[in-house]
Amino acid sequence: MMEEWKTPIQVEGTVHRDGDGYLVEESKPRLIGGCLIAPGQFTVPGLLDQAASERADETATLYLPRGITLSVGDAIRVPAEHPLGGTWRVEEPSSPWPRGTAVVISRR
């Protein structure tokens, strides 16, 4: 059943690690298949204080297959037909989870 929820994502970042662990500069977007995205929290619209205006409007957790890590600041594009489709940014370093790695993503 979990296979039905998986989606490919497009990552646009300047540097990442290849399969052998070497840092590689990326000149073009890369496609990563088999990802899961879980919704996080949403902010209340209309708050005017500076701290609220600097916060992300939406957050989510992106679960990646084994061996894939992302860097803080990487841009993530989720297909438009996905309920969480659109452009996101990686907010925190990748963390391990039993089936790969996970990162917190946000969009404003």
Side-chain angles (χ1 to χ4, degrees), residues 9 17 55 69 78 83 92:
I9 62 164
R17 293 198 181 272
R55 275 188 248 145
T69 58
V78 178
E92 299 177 9

Side-chain angles (χ1 to χ4, degrees), residues 47-102:
L47 295 177
L48 300 176
D49 64 281
Q50 186 176 10
S53 66
E54 291 176 357
R55 275 188 248 145
D57 288 335
E58 298 177 74
T59 61
T61 303
L62 172 62
Y63 297 94
L64 301 151
R66 284 191 172 105
I68 305 290
T69 58
L70 300 178
S71 300
V72 173
D74 283 351
I76 308 297
R77 299 199 191 287
V78 178
E81 59 272 5
H82 189 278
L84 296 172
T87 302
W88 298 78
R89 288 263 179 215
V90 175
E91 292 290 324
E92 299 177 9
S94 299
S95 301
W97 76 292
R99 295 187 178 197
T101 57

